[in-house]
Amino acid sequence: MTGRSGGGRGGGRGDRKGRPLPKNIIPTGVLPKDDMVKFRGDSGLDDGNKSLVGGYYDSGNNIKFSFPMAYTITLLSWSVIEYHPKYEEIGELDHVKSIIKWGSDYLLKLFIHANQTSPSSTTLISQVGGVSNNKTSTDNDVNCWQRPEDMRYERPVSSCDETASDLAGEIIAALSAASLVFNEDKKYSTNLTKTATDLFDMVTKEDPGFVQGMYTTKDECGGQAREFYNSTGYKDELVWGGTWLFFATGNATYLRYATENLVSAEEEESSVDKGVFYWNNKFTANTVLLTRLRFFIDLGYPYEESFILSNNNVDSLMCSYLSHTTHKTQGGLIFLKPDQYAPLEYAATASFLSKLYSDYLAVLHKSSSSCTNGTSFSVENLQDFSMSQVNYILGDNPMEMSYVVGYGNNYPKHVHHRGASIPWDNQWHSCAEGSTWLNSENPNPNELLGAMVRGPDWNDMFLDQRDKPWFTEPTISSNAGLVAALIALHDPPHSSSSMNGAEALGIDNSGIFHNIHFI
């Protein structure tokens, strides 16, 4: 990485060259033989009567939530599409692609087409695991502090129909973005785009009486996810899905959908989510993608109005990151949702977007851009802000605490994570034993290397306690943001030192446009 090494005031296991990828994005199912996490084994082998094996557990629990998992795959894919030269330089390209493929393989299983025996039934799987209706046992994914390898309780499956617009939109985005990552594998890439296209057609149909909506508004669909990943809108996901599907196919129909619905997506955006890119809000990131189109492929009519709107939104976003009036802790961490915990997730994506946008400007040889109040910001301002947030995460903060496990000398030792907190001792541990490990004051016996926890509070304070997940729990969605930020900030490949433009920055300026041929 450019800039200081982070990690508090010294080195540590995380200071080795390269390795921007957390090792805590751990697959479920039959694990690959070369899996790097030595304290995990095969698990979830009966999920969905064996039809839903695979994917990723969400965080410190053993539940598979489709909504944030799809977002995770979209974001990781985006980082590869933009910065694959950097991934390749540090020897991590195959690794990150294997992570994405494990996720996209699972996402393909979640969309079940209507068929002749059930012509009116299209199914989207929203969750595997949780609380079952089994009255004879209280053991479940919520109550049991148990390794996933030790699960012996019933794991229910929650499903939706095609009115789960937000869930569908994010799956469409994930499959579309992944198709660009695997464009050299024509068969697999085509399968991803075909599934995304079929699903898009299904959830955007204009049939009389068809009603779009949020997956968590229906108990059978997202009732259990509501407490963890409650969705507050769906238009941003449909626009997000349409935008990525345009990149994946080059079909202008999807771009027209995205641009024609952009304003309605902005109007639906809740006030507390303004300027925040995370699993529940894609509007901000979508404006970055549309601005990218405006900068590098000027499509003109009928898209220009939406592109200008997007460009203005992105400039305003960057100005807000740099503004003295934006909530920041005394230690310098941007606090985009000051009434909530888990600030690092939002800081990581802000770091990614700001560095990415600075690279767009640099490729165009634009040294600065303007804010609505008459001030301006430079490419260097954005880069400094992006680096400051990552450095805070890695240890440059008042507690001198690295919030990434294994990085630096001082990092969380009591991560809220079932698998990390229970010894890998070839013994089966029951649900009843779980409280012993959850409430133990001893450090986790297994280090979840690379895992970013939720982080400190508004006062830069952090409690390294396993039973306080609002401080110590990692999630796949937040760690995807960290990966994106780290690779964006990583030094360009050494071979690019004598090059100009995008190559010198380590960004692939044209790959995202690979399938756009109608210009």
Side-chain angles (χ1 to χ4, degrees), residues 300-507:
Y301 181 83
Y303 312 111
E304 188 63 13
E305 184 176 346
S306 294
F307 288 171
I308 292 173
L309 170 65
S310 295
N311 198 168
N312 291 339
N313 267 279
V314 174
D315 281 342
S316 295
L317 175 70
M318 300 301 147
C319 293
S320 72
Y321 289 162
L322 302 171
S323 172
H324 295 296
T325 62
T326 299
H327 292 286
K328 291 186 176 74
T329 68
Q330 189 172 359
L333 177 68
I334 194 167
F335 229 87
L336 292 172
K337 294 169 77 75
D339 296 330
Q340 299 186 24
Y341 283 91
L344 300 188
E345 176 165 9
Y346 317 126
T349 51
S351 175
F352 170 62
L353 292 183
S354 55
K355 179 56 167 65
L356 181 64
Y357 191 57
S358 77
D359 284 344
Y360 293 166
L361 294 175
V363 171
L364 293 169
H365 301 290
K366 293 181 65 173
S367 60
S368 63
S369 194
S370 300
C371 304
T372 55
N373 61 3
T375 62
S376 62
F377 60 86
S378 67
V379 167
E380 289 74 18
N381 292 150
L382 294 181
Q383 293 172 344
D384 289 346
F385 164 76
S386 177
M387 183 63 74
S388 73
Q389 299 308 295
V390 165
N391 279 342
Y392 183 104
I393 293 169
L394 295 180
D396 189 5
N397 55 65
M399 293 199 68
E400 300 187 1
M401 165 76 77
S402 164
Y403 293 113
V404 176
V405 177
Y407 193 95
N409 294 325
N410 183 29
Y411 53 83
K413 306 295 197 302
H414 302 81
V415 178
H416 182 91
H417 188 277
R418 287 160 170 78
S421 67
I422 301 174
W424 188 250
D425 54 6
N426 295 317
Q427 300 294 317
W428 179 77
H429 294 288
S430 69
C431 176
E433 294 177 66
S435 59
T436 300
W437 313 112
L438 173 61
N439 299 317
S440 171
E441 295 183 1
N442 294 325
N444 286 351
N446 310 305
E447 278 199 330
L448 201 63
L449 289 178
M452 181 181 75
V453 296
R454 291 187 183 272
D457 64 15
W458 171 246
N459 297 309
D460 293 302
M461 292 299 296
F462 176 82
L463 296 178
D464 185 14
Q465 297 177 17
R466 195 177 298 109
D467 61 352
K468 291 181 171 54
W470 51 93
F471 287 117
T472 58
E473 186 173 32
T475 67
I476 58 172
S477 61
S478 63
N479 276 266
L482 174 64
V483 170
L486 288 173
I487 199 65
L489 285 165
H490 202 282
D491 288 329
H494 296 302
S495 60
S496 67
S497 58
S498 61
M499 301 178 182
N500 296 313
E503 293 84 0
L505 296 170
I507 188 171

Side-chain angles (χ1 to χ4, degrees), residues 28-218:
T28 82
V30 180
L31 298 191
K33 288 184 173 57
D34 60 349
D35 187 68
M36 301 182 204
V37 184
K38 302 307 179 187
F39 60 91
R40 295 299 302 274
D42 299 345
S43 64
L45 301 183
D46 293 321
D47 284 353
N49 291 322
K50 304 185 185 301
S51 66
L52 295 172
V53 175
Y56 294 100
Y57 299 119
D58 169 66
S59 53
N61 58 47
N62 300 337
I63 303 174
K64 298 190 294 195
F65 291 105
S66 303
F67 193 46
M69 192 191 307
Y71 162 81
T72 297
I73 299 306
T74 309
L75 182 50
L76 287 176
S77 296
W78 189 8
S79 75
V80 172
I81 293 164
E82 300 282 17
Y83 292 114
H84 64 85
K86 293 185 182 182
Y87 277 116
E88 189 167 20
E89 167 80 0
I90 60 176
E92 288 284 3
L93 184 58
D94 288 341
H95 179 202
V96 69
K97 288 175 72 172
S98 70
I99 290 173
I100 293 168
K101 189 173 187 300
W102 193 277
S104 57
D105 282 350
Y106 179 75
L107 295 177
L108 286 170
K109 301 177 182 181
L110 303 184
F111 174 36
I112 304 169
H113 293 261
N115 53 47
Q116 290 182 345
T117 60
S118 186
S120 61
S121 175
T122 294
T123 301
L124 279 175
I125 305 299
S126 60
Q127 181 177 330
V128 176
V131 180
S132 73
N133 294 321
N134 187 344
K135 305 299 183 183
T136 64
S137 175
T138 59
D139 291 1
N140 57 58
D141 291 295
V142 176
N143 294 337
C144 290
W145 190 265
Q146 195 173 21
R147 297 180 307 200
E149 294 81 7
D150 293 339
M151 297 183 300
R152 294 184 182 176
Y153 45 75
E154 182 180 346
R155 283 170 58 79
V157 174
S158 298
S159 61
C160 320
D161 61 19
E162 63 267 30
T163 63
S165 311
D166 44 7
L167 175 59
E170 191 58 67
I171 292 174
I172 292 164
L175 297 178
S176 300
S179 75
L180 292 170
V181 172
F182 300 106
N183 58 20
E184 294 181 356
D185 184 344
K186 296 301 182 184
K187 182 178 180 181
Y188 186 65
S189 181
T190 299
N191 187 26
L192 293 172
T193 53
K194 183 181 185 307
T195 303
T197 301
D198 290 347
L199 183 54
F200 186 87
D201 292 343
M202 185 69 64
V203 300
T204 59
K205 61 187 178 185
E206 297 181 355
D207 293 354
F210 178 69
V211 178
Q212 297 172 326
M214 285 86 74
Y215 84 110
T216 47
T217 59
K218 296 184 177 181

